[in-house]
């Protein structure tokens, strides 16, 4: 799932769509406007995000409204948390080794 998520987010337009949706629901037209792309192009971008499970679409009358699926980012959050823990431990160990080296001099 991580590879699907990161693959979907690798495109700058799709990343910008996710960023915009993090501030609230938006119509397809609202999502397309800042990018100066056609409605069919935005539909394809949103489709990739929907297929990755990051976004949901719903019809409100004749309008398609998109929203973020925050629960879809749980795996990414866990992965980033694990990496952060790893790097914090690594830096802590490096600081400890440098302190020991300095004290031995």
């Amino acid at each position: 799932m991580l590879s699907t998520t990161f693959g979907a987010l690798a495109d700058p337009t799709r990343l910008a769509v996710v960023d915009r949706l993090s501030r609230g629901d938006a119509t397809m037209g609202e999502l397309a406007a800042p990018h100066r792309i056609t409605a069919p192009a935005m539909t394809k971008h949103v489709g990739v995000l929907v297929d990755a499970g990051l976004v949901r679409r719903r019809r409100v009358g004749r309008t398609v409204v998109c929203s973020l699926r925050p629960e879809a980012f749980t795996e990414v959050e866990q992965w980033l948390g694990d990496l952060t823990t790893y790097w914090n431990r690594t830096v802590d160990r490096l600081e400890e080794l440098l302190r020991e080296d300095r004290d031995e001099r």
Side-chain angles (χ1 to χ4, degrees):
M1 176 78 166
L2 275 176
S3 60
T4 302
T5 299
F6 285 125
L9 296 175
D11 180 89
T13 300
R14 292 193 291 269
L15 187 59
V17 166
V18 169
D19 182 58
R20 167 55 187 84
L21 292 175
S22 71
R23 295 186 298 280
D25 295 356
T27 66
M28 294 293 279
E30 291 169 336
L31 294 174
H35 305 284
R36 296 185 179 151
I37 62 175
T38 64
M42 182 51 70
T43 298
K44 287 182 182 182
H45 280 297
V46 170
V48 170
L49 295 169
V50 169
D51 290 346
L54 303 174
V55 170
R56 73 173 55 93
R57 291 182 280 215
R58 69 182 188 286
R59 286 205 170 270
V60 178
R62 298 183 70 192
T63 304
V64 175
V65 178
C66 299
S67 57
L68 204 56
R69 295 186 63 234
E71 66 277 8
F73 292 89
T74 302
E75 187 177 11
V76 173
E77 183 179 21
Q78 179 64 48
W79 182 74
L80 289 172
D82 292 346
L83 278 180
T84 300
T85 299
Y86 167 78
W87 284 110
N88 285 339
R89 287 181 183 160
T90 300
V91 169
D92 290 346
R93 179 66 180 136
L94 177 59
E95 287 174 344
E96 183 180 314
L97 289 170
L98 291 171
R99 201 171 17 254
E100 289 172 6
D101 184 57
R102 185 188 67 225
D103 292 344
E104 288 176 5
R105 290 182 184 185

